[in-house]
Amino acid sequence: MGAGESKHTFPSSLDLLTLDAIELQSLLAAQKLTSAQLVKACLEQIRSQDHKGLELHAMIATPPEQDLIKIADTLDNERKAGLIRGPLHGIPIIVKDAIATDPQFKMKTTCGSHALASSIVSGDARVVEKLRKAGVIILGKSNLTEFCQMKGDNITNGWSAVGGQTVSPYIRGGIRHDQGSGGPSIPGGSSTGSAVGVAAGYSPLALGTETDGSTIQPANRAALFAIKPTHGIVSVDGIWQLSTSFDVIGSMAKSASDLANLLHILVEDEAADYPRFLTRSFADLRLGFADPDMWRFPDSYSHPDEGVREQMKAVYLDALSKIQPLAAKVEYPVEIVQPEELDIHGKSSFFTVIRYEYGPLADSYLNNLVESEVRSLDELIKWNEAHPELELPKDYPSQSRLIAARDQVPSTADYNAVISHLEKVTVELGAIFDSHDIDLIVVPTDSRICSLASASGRSYNNAK
């Protein structure tokens, strides 16, 4: 370090776009970098690209810089003393702004809504509490599709009234609405800012939430690794929930190793050791590959430029051909349950379940806030109606999904019928693994596979 150089000045060669958490941890261990320098560099990347530069609008809030540096300095001092809390000690993470952070860290939890901009939560969500204990630095709160995509119809993924429109760092010219509501320029949602933030070098790690694709799809569009853990193994205490049946906390990163280390922290079972499964080998895996022509978004949802689908299919089949000689078994194509089979009489099973479960979850969250201008779903809807200039702008005037959760609640009989139907479809899916003698099914992510995963991953203890 040169004379007069601040100990917090970050190395100019630090490549935040490519380095994953494990590589950053190696630099920290080798004393080539400090956590304080890393935090400084991440904040500078946010300042240069979020409302300037590429104008990504991936972030809603960060704590005061001096507060973050103080936390980082503490972790750096622990490292010097030989106290390493774990493999993510001193590494920054961003979390979706539907996940509560303690008010002492000077960030609100808004879910992207002005109605909650002045609200105060009681403390950290359980997952944030576990991250802090493991020495992970909460760098900021990321933008999202408002209320986790459960505010209104025809709202572009990644838009919230508080955060504006998140855009992809990979797409020049912004969003092209002529390619459909799920076209390739759409950054995916609802954990949009978390994915874009990692891709843009704001942080090597991020948390999102997922009901039906809200972590996996934006991570896919941002060229990241992501995992949606099994329903129920990661606490959802302290988050804005849509559904007790489907909601999970998802993780995003630049490597599978980083995801394993994150899961090791987040999963409630302290005996779970996910890093040990990183064998870096296909030798013991038996894989079934789905047909990419069968598993793709419909043209009504996504119609990319000519040649894009062919390119995606070619890359998928190339991966299959490279894995085939390395794996214990590869079978192609494997026919699996189609997502349309999840629905009943042409109606979405997901929205039936969510409309039944959402109202009580929203009421409970709002009623348990320390301070809030709204205390129920009904009050939230009325607040939006009273503040249309903030919450119902001309481009996105709808809060139809909030209203449906209040006024169109399915009967318990209809709800239980859907739950029973989803369970039957899940049994059919499980039978495919046995009949084909496979461990994993590989499916293109730009499809409705997340719906199938959500239905099969839920627990069936909620039916009454």
Side-chain angles (χ1 to χ4, degrees):
M1 185 177 296
E5 185 179 1
S6 168
K7 67 176 182 178
H8 295 149
T9 301
F10 55 88
S12 59
S13 60
L14 186 63
D15 188 353
L16 295 176
L17 295 177
T18 61
L19 292 171
D20 67 6
I22 285 183
E23 292 168 324
L24 290 168
Q25 191 64 256
S26 296
L27 294 175
L28 291 168
Q31 299 182 3
K32 296 180 180 179
L33 179 70
T34 67
S35 290
Q37 290 172 332
L38 178 56
V39 164
K40 188 87 172 176
C42 290
L43 291 175
E44 181 56 34
Q45 185 75 351
I46 292 171
R47 283 191 290 264
S48 68
Q49 300 300 334
D50 211 58
H51 290 276
K52 299 178 181 178
L54 295 176
E55 298 182 346
L56 299 175
H57 294 276
M59 300 298 293
I60 284 182
T62 57
E65 182 169 342
Q66 64 270 23
D67 293 356
L68 281 173
I69 295 298
K70 184 176 180 179
I71 292 169
D73 280 340
T74 297
L75 292 166
D76 284 332
N77 289 334
E78 288 182 5
R79 184 184 300 278
K80 291 176 183 177
L83 175 60
I84 306 296
R85 302 188 194 186
L88 298 180
H89 181 106
I91 299 292
I93 191 170
I94 54 178
V95 301
K96 184 178 184 177
D97 194 24
I99 302 172
T101 51
D102 193 291
Q104 69 173 305
F105 297 103
K106 301 172 186 173
M107 292 185 293
K108 298 292 187 180
T109 302
T110 73
C111 298
S113 169
H114 289 287
L116 297 185
S118 62
S119 68
I120 298 177
V121 299
S122 60
D124 283 332
R126 171 67 173 158
V127 288
V128 173
E129 179 184 294
K130 290 171 74 71
L131 288 169
R132 292 195 201 278
K133 185 178 179 181
V136 185
I137 301 170
I138 312 300
L139 190 74
K141 309 290 283 290
S142 57
N143 199 8
L144 68 161
T145 317
E146 191 169 337
F147 286 119
C148 302
Q149 217 153 341
M150 194 58 188
K151 181 186 180 184
D153 293 314
N154 302 316
I155 293 177
T156 303
N157 282 330
W159 181 87
S160 74
V162 172
Q165 180 64 61
T166 306
V167 296
S168 170
Y170 292 109
I171 304 296
R172 292 183 179 179
I175 291 172
R176 287 182 53 183
H177 293 283
D178 63 306
Q179 294 182 324
S181 59
S185 68
I186 302 294
S190 63
S191 305
T192 322
S194 293
V196 169
V198 174
Y202 293 1
S203 169
L205 307 168
L207 290 190
T209 65
E210 174 153 351
T211 306
D212 178 14
S214 290
T215 292
I216 300 302
Q217 289 295 354
N220 172 54
R221 291 290 172 89
L224 302 177
F225 288 80
I227 191 164
K228 171 196 170 183
T230 301
H231 182 271
I233 67 171
V234 175
S235 172
V236 291
D237 289 348
I239 74 163
W240 181 268
Q241 295 185 66
L242 308 189
S243 166
T244 53
S245 293
F246 303 129
D247 283 6
V248 299
I249 298 285
S251 303
M252 309 178 195
K254 296 190 184 81
S255 68
S257 298
D258 284 357
L259 292 181
N261 286 329
L262 259 180
L263 273 183
H264 190 66
I265 294 170
L266 299 176
V267 171
E268 288 298 310
D269 181 4
E270 295 185 0
D273 184 7
Y274 291 92
R276 73 183 176 89
F277 293 108
L278 296 170
T279 63
R280 301 182 183 276
S281 170
F282 288 94
D284 297 326
L285 293 178
R286 308 175 73 81
L287 309 174
F289 280 74
D291 184 347
D293 290 328
M294 296 290 292
W295 286 90
R296 45 177 267 186
F297 284 133
D299 289 341
S300 59
Y301 181 73
S302 175
H303 39 275
D305 291 337
E306 184 177 354
V308 171
R309 290 197 189 279
E310 291 74 15
Q311 181 184 9
M312 292 168 67
K313 179 179 177 179
V315 171
Y316 177 81
L317 295 177
D318 181 58
L320 187 160
S321 66
K322 290 178 178 177
I323 292 171
Q324 191 160 22
L326 304 175
K329 177 183 180 179
V330 169
E331 184 172 340
Y332 172 77
V334 171
E335 293 188 11
I336 60 177
V337 176
Q338 289 293 303
E340 290 75 17
E341 296 180 46
L342 298 172
D343 300 334
I344 299 179
H345 308 306
K347 294 183 178 180
S348 169
S349 293
F350 278 92
F351 276 107
T352 298
V353 172
I354 292 170
R355 279 191 286 118
Y356 187 88
E357 297 177 345
Y358 189 34
L361 288 168
D363 287 349
S364 176
Y365 180 95
L366 295 169
N367 192 53
N368 284 299
L369 290 169
V370 176
E371 292 183 16
S372 179
E373 294 184 54
V374 294
R375 291 292 184 178
S376 68
L377 179 59
D378 181 62
E379 289 185 12
L380 171 60
I381 292 168
K382 291 175 179 176
W383 195 98
N384 291 341
E385 290 171 346
H387 301 83
E389 73 286 356
L390 292 175
E391 281 298 323
L392 303 173
K394 64 176 183 177
D395 290 339
Y396 300 116
S398 173
Q399 55 172 338
S400 56
R401 296 183 181 183
L402 295 178
I403 293 171
R406 181 191 65 182
D407 299 343
Q408 300 172 27
V409 181
S411 68
T412 299
D414 286 346
Y415 171 75
N416 283 337
V418 168
I419 294 299
S420 177
H421 173 69
L422 293 179
E423 186 172 14
K424 291 177 182 177
V425 174
T426 297
V427 170
E428 292 177 26
L429 179 62
I432 295 169
F433 288 89
D434 295 332
S435 62
H436 290 272
D437 187 26
I438 53 179
D439 306 311
L440 298 171
I441 298 175
V442 182
V443 187
T445 309
D446 244 37
S447 69
R448 283 193 62 197
I449 187 57
C450 291
S451 298
L452 205 60
S454 293
S456 62
R458 70 170 301 281
S459 64
Y460 293 93
N461 299 323
N462 299 319
K464 297 178 176 63

